[in-house]
Amino acid sequence: MQEIIEQIVDYLKGIWLKRRFIIVSTWLICPLAWIYISQLDNVYESDARIYVDTQSVLGPLLKGLTVKTNPQVQIRLMVKTLLSRPNLERITRMTDLDVQAATPAAYESLIDELKSNIIIRKTGGRHDNIFTITYKHKNPEMAKNVVNSAITVFIENTLGENRSDSNSAQKFIGTQIKDYENRLLAAESRLTDFKQRYSGVLPNQYGGFYQKLNTVKEQLKITELNLLEQETRLKSARSQLTSSPSSNDNAQNNIMNSNSIQTTYDGRISELAASLDSLQLRYTEMHPDIKEIKRRLDHLNNQRSKEIDEYLNAANNGDSNKLASSQNPVIQQLQIQVNQLESLVASTTVRANDYRQQVKELASKIHILPEIEAELTSLNRGYEITKNKYEELLNRQETAQLAQQADETTNPIQFRVIDPPRASTEPVGPKRILFLVGSTVFAFGVGGALSLLFSQINPVVTSSSQVSKITGIPVFGIVSATENLGLQRWHRRKTILFIISNSLLFILLAFFMLYAIAPNVILAPIRGIL
């Protein structure tokens, strides 16, 4: 440690012996640097404070009815993008700074200067949206205009972004609604075609396919039972008719022409004709019921014709017993009953045949039923999904329109300029005092470095330790130089010269500092003399 201290002391002594380099460097560097610093242009600062109010009056009223965006996120985004190139170019056009840039390189330099000098920061608390925009320029009016333009761009971008987002959302939702509307129409068309193609198999208000098949089978079973009962009653009535006695003698007096003769088949023919008229209103001529009734009518008409012929032949041949039988009220009543039963049997037979045909048709389709039901389920599911999505988009469109109308009525973000920008009368820079002191320290540092360098190039022994280190011979004593050599006087003169030089230098430094602090104090006497 002692050796290090001695080494440092030797270096300082070497610098002191070569102190003339300090004088030279300070007088070469300081005046030039001080003149340059004193001629630097003044820099003026303009700032403004803005309060961003995100508490809208309609917010609580429209809660749950409109889309609520986070204004804090939007404000942070606008703050970050304020110094983007499009915004900076817009500021240059608003302040006519772009006119001052004669070349593309100058314009790029101007953009970079704005980006580095425009400062926006949040000055309020965590929940206070108070922002300060600051800009420095050598022209106070230009600094004010730049800050004012930055405020305008900041506000317009924020409000414009709200409207742009609303319009984009409306356009997107409208496109999606049109797309889903086309999908819904296509799904409805597919579902309608499918139901029309499989109308006889698909479930209806009476149940599904299996329930329909079971219902038809039950009806067929009931109809067949009724048919069996009716045939049994018909058989009994016919047996009673054949065993009835004949008692009436004057039958020939009731013989009439064939058109006016009433037979046992007239009632059944009338009933079947009425049934035929009713069925022809609902079905075509190819329907099995209509074909069966026509066949029965033809058969009954043939039977009626035969009965009339037999009646007329009996009348002509004197078969009075047969005629008398036909005029017996009991026989007539039995014949009417037989006719009615035959009509019921015929209609029930037609109905049973129709049920059998339905059962046959339904049974033939039972193997394709699972595929049809699976396809119907898929079509219904796709239709319901598309319909629900379409209705949801309609609701969202209504919500978006309501939100846009609310934004147009009252902006969700309000801007209030607390402190508008002003043209400053006092410069904020450059920091001339700091620059003057720094340049002075730099000059002395350069002089000290030169002195140390030359003391090492042309060394001077200043201590016994140096002699011992250089020669390797121990030093036992030191003899001081006498006054006759004149060394002390020479060193004294150099010291006085060094003090005088530095004193003049510091006086000159004080003059430049005074000029930097109060230039009018220095310039007023000079102007008075001139």
Side-chain angles (χ1 to χ4, degrees):
M1 186 65 184
Q2 183 65 29
E3 292 180 358
I4 295 175
I5 295 175
E6 290 178 355
Q7 186 70 29
I8 293 174
V9 172
D10 291 336
Y11 286 155
L12 293 177
K13 288 180 179 180
I15 293 173
W16 177 252
L17 291 174
K18 302 295 183 180
R19 56 187 177 276
R20 62 182 178 274
F21 292 103
I22 297 177
I23 298 174
V24 174
S25 64
T26 53
W27 281 100
L28 287 178
I29 295 175
C30 288
L32 296 177
W34 295 344
I35 293 173
Y36 175 77
I37 293 171
S38 63
Q39 296 300 317
L40 291 176
D41 293 330
N42 290 331
V43 177
Y44 296 89
E45 182 181 79
S46 180
D47 58 2
R49 288 200 305 159
I50 308 171
Y51 173 65
V52 183
D53 186 7
T54 59
Q55 301 298 324
S56 176
V57 177
L58 291 178
L61 300 177
L62 299 178
K63 185 177 181 180
L65 299 177
T66 61
V67 179
K68 183 65 176 177
T69 58
N70 190 350
Q72 299 294 337
V73 176
Q74 187 175 4
I75 292 172
R76 286 197 297 268
L77 179 62
M78 291 298 103
V79 170
K80 292 180 180 179
T81 59
L82 176 61
L83 299 181
S84 61
R85 186 176 181 86
N87 290 337
L88 293 176
E89 290 179 351
R90 185 179 175 187
I91 291 174
T92 59
R93 291 191 296 269
M94 294 173 66
T95 57
D96 294 333
L97 283 173
D98 56 339
V99 180
Q100 301 176 8
T103 61
Y107 187 73
E108 293 296 329
S109 177
L110 175 62
I111 294 295
D112 294 338
E113 188 267 338
L114 285 175
K115 188 173 183 179
S116 60
N117 290 338
I118 296 178
I119 300 173
I120 179 170
R121 62 184 184 276
K122 190 173 182 180
T123 57
R126 182 176 181 182
H127 301 289
D128 296 333
N129 295 323
I130 299 177
F131 297 89
T132 301
I133 300 178
T134 306
Y135 179 68
K136 296 178 181 178
H137 195 268
K138 61 183 178 180
N139 186 347
E141 287 295 332
M142 183 58 68
K144 171 188 173 183
N145 293 336
V146 169
V147 173
N148 198 16
S149 300
I151 293 174
T152 303
V153 171
F154 179 63
I155 295 175
E156 291 181 355
N157 282 355
T158 305
L159 298 180
E161 188 69 19
N162 285 336
R163 298 189 182 96
S164 178
D165 290 344
S166 299
N167 294 333
S168 300
Q170 289 276 19
K171 185 177 180 181
F172 174 76
I173 293 177
T175 303
Q176 292 298 313
I177 287 176
K178 188 65 177 178
D179 183 27
Y180 274 93
E181 184 178 0
N182 295 333
R183 293 185 187 181
L184 188 62
L185 292 176
E188 289 176 348
S189 178
R190 289 194 298 269
L191 190 59
T192 301
D193 294 341
F194 183 82
K195 288 182 177 180
Q196 290 176 352
R197 189 163 61 250
Y198 299 103
S199 58
V201 184
L202 295 177
N204 52 24
Q205 64 270 25
Y206 302 108
F209 176 82
Y210 293 105
Q211 185 175 355
K212 184 177 181 180
L213 179 60
N214 292 330
T215 301
V216 174
K217 286 182 177 180
E218 290 293 333
Q219 291 176 350
L220 176 61
K221 185 177 180 180
I222 295 173
T223 304
E224 288 178 344
L225 182 60
N226 292 334
L227 180 61
L228 181 60
E229 293 176 354
Q230 292 169 5
E231 287 178 347
T232 302
R233 290 170 59 192
L234 177 62
K235 185 177 180 180
S236 175
R238 283 176 177 175
S239 63
Q240 292 179 6
L241 182 63
T242 55
S243 61
S244 298
S246 301
S247 58
N248 197 345
D249 292 334
N250 301 318
Q252 293 182 357
N253 295 329
N254 297 324
I255 297 175
M256 299 175 291
N257 56 43
S258 60
N259 293 328
S260 60
I261 296 175
Q262 295 183 353
T263 66
T264 58
Y265 300 97
D266 292 340
R268 292 169 60 190
I269 291 174
S270 299
E271 292 178 0
L272 289 177
S275 300
L276 179 62
D277 292 337
S278 177
L279 291 175
Q280 284 178 341
L281 293 175
R282 293 180 295 171
Y283 304 106
T284 62
E285 296 293 327
M286 301 303 295
H287 196 272
D289 292 349
I290 295 178
K291 289 182 179 181
E292 180 65 23
I293 292 176
K294 285 184 176 181
R295 187 184 66 79
R296 298 293 298 174
L297 280 174
D298 293 337
H299 176 71
L300 292 176
N301 286 326
N302 292 332
Q303 294 294 327
R304 180 177 182 278
S305 299
K306 289 181 181 181
E307 184 176 343
I308 292 175
D309 292 338
E310 290 177 358
Y311 180 83
L312 294 177
N313 291 330
N316 293 329
N317 295 330
D319 193 354
S320 60
N321 292 329
K322 191 173 182 180
L323 289 173
S325 307
S326 63
Q327 299 298 324
N328 192 336
V330 175
I331 295 176
Q332 289 181 355
Q333 186 66 31
L334 289 173
Q335 189 66 42
I336 292 173
Q337 184 178 0
V338 169
N339 292 339
Q340 291 177 351
L341 289 174
E342 287 181 349
S343 177
L344 287 175
V345 168
S347 61
T348 305
T349 302
V350 171
R351 189 162 60 252
N353 291 333
D354 182 60
Y355 286 141
R356 292 189 186 98
Q357 184 66 25
Q358 292 183 26
V359 170
K360 183 178 180 180
E361 291 178 357
L362 292 174
S364 65
K365 296 178 181 179
I366 196 169
H367 65 283
I368 64 173
L369 180 62
E371 298 179 1
I372 295 175
E373 290 183 344
E375 187 175 356
L376 177 62
T377 302
S378 177
L379 290 174
N380 285 331
R381 181 173 60 250
Y383 173 76
E384 289 297 329
I385 292 174
T386 306
K387 180 181 177 182
N388 293 335
K389 197 66 177 178
Y390 178 72
E391 293 176 351
E392 181 182 356
L393 286 172
L394 288 178
N395 293 332
R396 288 184 178 273
Q397 186 182 41
E398 293 294 329
T399 302
Q401 290 177 353
L402 184 60
Q404 185 176 11
Q405 292 175 0
D407 291 342
E408 292 175 354
T409 304
T410 172
N411 292 322
I413 301 177
Q414 299 288 338
F415 292 89
R416 296 183 179 88
V417 180
I418 301 174
D419 294 328
R422 295 180 298 105
S424 178
T425 57
E426 296 294 332
V428 295
K431 305 295 183 181
R432 290 189 177 89
I433 302 297
L434 181 61
F435 292 161
L436 291 172
V437 173
S439 61
T440 304
V441 172
F442 174 74
F444 275 96
V446 172
L450 291 174
S451 299
L452 179 61
L453 177 63
F454 280 99
S455 67
Q456 297 300 314
I457 295 174
N458 187 16
V460 177
V461 177
T462 58
S463 65
S464 59
S465 60
Q466 281 184 297
V467 175
S468 177
K469 186 183 295 184
I470 294 172
T471 62
I473 300 172
V475 177
F476 297 100
I478 298 174
V479 179
S480 300
T482 63
E483 186 67 24
N484 295 330
L485 294 176
L487 294 177
Q488 293 181 355
R489 194 167 46 253
W490 180 66
H491 284 294
R492 190 181 299 112
R493 284 198 303 269
K494 288 202 306 182
T495 302
I496 294 172
L497 179 62
F498 182 76
I499 293 172
I500 293 173
S501 173
N502 290 334
S503 298
L504 292 175
L505 194 66
F506 282 113
I507 292 172
L508 187 60
L509 176 61
F511 175 80
F512 278 102
M513 286 185 175
L514 182 61
Y515 177 76
I517 296 173
N520 293 329
V521 176
I522 304 300
L523 295 178
I526 297 176
R527 291 195 187 102
I529 295 173
L530 297 177

